[in-house]
Amino acid sequence: MMHARGRTRAIAMAAALLSLGAGAALAGASCIRLDSGCRGEECRITNDHTCPWNCSPAVWDSALFPDFNTFLPYFVWTGNPRDAPDCTSANAYHEGDFYRDPKSIDRCLRCVAEPVRESRYHSVELRKGAQCVSGEDIGGTVIRAFMVPVEWDGSCISEVVALDPAAQDADVGVGRSWGNGGPSCVASLSRADVEATWGSLVRVCQRYWEYDEVCWNLASQCVPDLAPEFRHCLKYDGDEELPECPPSHPELVQAYTGVKGCSACGAEDPLDDGKWRETTATLTFYADEQCTQPLPTTNIYDKCFNVPPGSLPRSVTATLTVERVSACEAVGGEQEGELAPEGLVSFCCKAPR
């Protein structure tokens, strides 16, 4: 989510584009014109944004709906638990599962533990006016961003969005990832128990193009195309009872977080020595688009790489080294009190396509 400095930068970027008539080079269709009176299909004008996907309108009158995060749309799937798709099919990351239509809640659901799926880079960017320095903010301006796929396996990427088309060289390459150095194991609920206990499941996924600020500035978010059977939804975070859904997302979807009266699921690594696991993630940048001409780089840590002066990387690969695979054991899921559905959550959704 963009903070106050991001808002200022977004407005400045929009103003600069308007005054200079500049456009960003990108892959994908155009989104929305830079004037507040324009909405919908009639607003499609080339190069007014840096969104490689689609500018999905949020709630235009967001001030009237303060308890919704109107700039973070979720992709939501609802159906039989056994048919739940992986979020990667929606070009998105798994945010969480919720449950509906209880069948018979007569016992706690079993907990399952497995090793964490090691975090891969979720974004790779090139910066100008920056330097990889230990313990300091690298600074600089993002001039290019590679189109990193969900759950990237590290194979060659050359598709890139030019946030500053005029820039012809970069100082550093920066990769960002989630979870490296974190807990070794992750806990979840037994799929068989979920199917036996709940009639339907609400799977929530999320992804957006974090570098597009024109979309954001126009009350919309840059998100991938909707996968089949998914729809855009907004999560209600208010403390009071949901008054009504916004007109832009009129359908109410409610579900539970789980079963009350059961201890929380957790996961332990019996081989853990008290330290979090150690992983090493490395990026290699190339002078060509086929990942055949590696550029010599220096790095202070595994997420920031100084590239040769005057170079502009055209592609990138990644490797991830894990010291050991964790042995995981599930804990929790024991009955501690009366069993009942717990934690009702509310989403407001657009109608299914």
Side-chain angles (χ1 to χ4, degrees), residues 10-347:
I11 295 170
M13 179 179 175
L17 287 172
L18 283 171
S19 61
L20 298 177
L26 60 133
S30 60
C31 287
I32 293 178
R33 197 167 68 214
L34 292 178
D35 70 73
S36 59
C38 185
R39 305 180 186 180
E41 292 293 324
E42 72 277 7
C43 301
R44 293 184 177 273
I45 292 181
T46 304
N47 292 337
D48 273 351
H49 63 94
T50 57
C51 175
W53 299 319
N54 292 294
C55 290
S56 174
V59 180
W60 283 99
D61 297 322
S62 58
L64 300 178
F65 303 95
D67 294 320
F68 290 93
N69 185 343
T70 59
F71 297 107
L72 186 57
Y74 292 105
F75 311 143
V76 174
W77 177 93
T78 303
N80 192 303
R82 67 171 175 268
D83 299 325
D86 193 282
C87 285
T88 56
S89 69
N91 195 18
Y93 296 95
H94 187 204
E95 186 76 14
D97 288 340
F98 302 92
Y99 312 95
R100 304 175 69 184
D101 309 319
K103 296 179 180 178
S104 175
I105 302 180
D106 56 0
R107 59 185 172 88
C108 294
L109 280 65
R110 289 170 294 174
C111 301
V112 177
E114 58 186 352
V116 167
R117 180 184 297 179
E118 293 297 336
S119 176
R120 298 165 174 83
Y121 292 103
H122 65 80
S123 66
V124 178
E125 60 193 31
L126 302 176
R127 295 192 185 190
K128 183 69 177 174
Q131 184 177 10
C132 301
V133 180
S134 179
E136 297 182 15
D137 183 3
I138 63 174
T141 301
V142 179
I143 60 172
R144 300 284 193 279
F146 285 96
M147 293 296 296
V148 177
V150 174
E151 301 297 343
W152 182 31
D153 62 3
S155 57
C156 184
I157 297 175
S158 60
E159 186 177 3
V160 65
V161 173
L163 307 181
D164 182 357
Q168 296 302 308
D169 66 318
D171 296 319
V172 304
V174 180
R176 286 184 287 170
S177 59
W178 294 304
N180 284 347
S184 304
C185 303
V186 62
S188 61
L189 296 175
S190 161
R191 179 170 177 173
D193 286 2
V194 169
E195 293 178 10
T197 304
W198 302 98
S200 60
L201 180 142
V202 176
R203 174 147 293 173
V204 180
C205 311
Q206 180 265 320
R207 194 182 190 198
Y208 63 96
W209 181 247
E210 60 192 294
Y211 301 101
D212 187 88
E213 295 180 344
V214 174
C215 274
W216 178 90
N217 195 42
L218 294 178
S220 59
Q221 188 68 276
C222 181
V223 296
D225 287 325
L226 276 177
E229 300 183 5
F230 280 84
R231 50 185 157 166
H232 284 145
C233 299
L234 302 173
K235 187 173 183 292
Y236 178 69
D237 292 323
D239 295 327
E240 305 296 330
E241 182 178 352
L242 176 64
E244 63 176 337
C245 283
S248 60
H249 297 71
E251 184 173 338
L252 176 64
V253 174
Q254 292 184 305
Y256 296 97
T257 59
V259 176
K260 180 172 62 175
C262 303
S263 59
C265 286
E268 296 179 349
D269 183 358
L271 302 179
D272 192 358
D273 57 4
K275 299 178 181 179
W276 282 357
R277 72 190 187 283
E278 294 183 358
T279 61
T280 302
T282 303
L283 291 173
T284 302
F285 294 93
Y286 301 84
D288 66 321
E289 295 185 354
Q290 291 73 41
C291 295
T292 63
Q293 302 173 26
L295 293 167
T297 60
T298 58
N299 66 300
I300 304 300
Y301 53 98
D302 62 8
K303 296 182 181 180
C304 184
F305 302 80
N306 293 306
V307 299
S311 63
L312 186 66
R314 305 292 181 182
S315 57
V316 62
T317 60
T319 58
L320 181 67
T321 302
V322 182
E323 299 301 324
R324 66 173 176 83
V325 177
S326 303
C328 299
E329 295 180 354
V331 297
E334 303 293 333
Q335 185 169 349
E336 296 179 331
E338 184 177 354
L339 302 180
E342 179 180 34
L344 188 66
V345 296
S346 300
F347 292 90

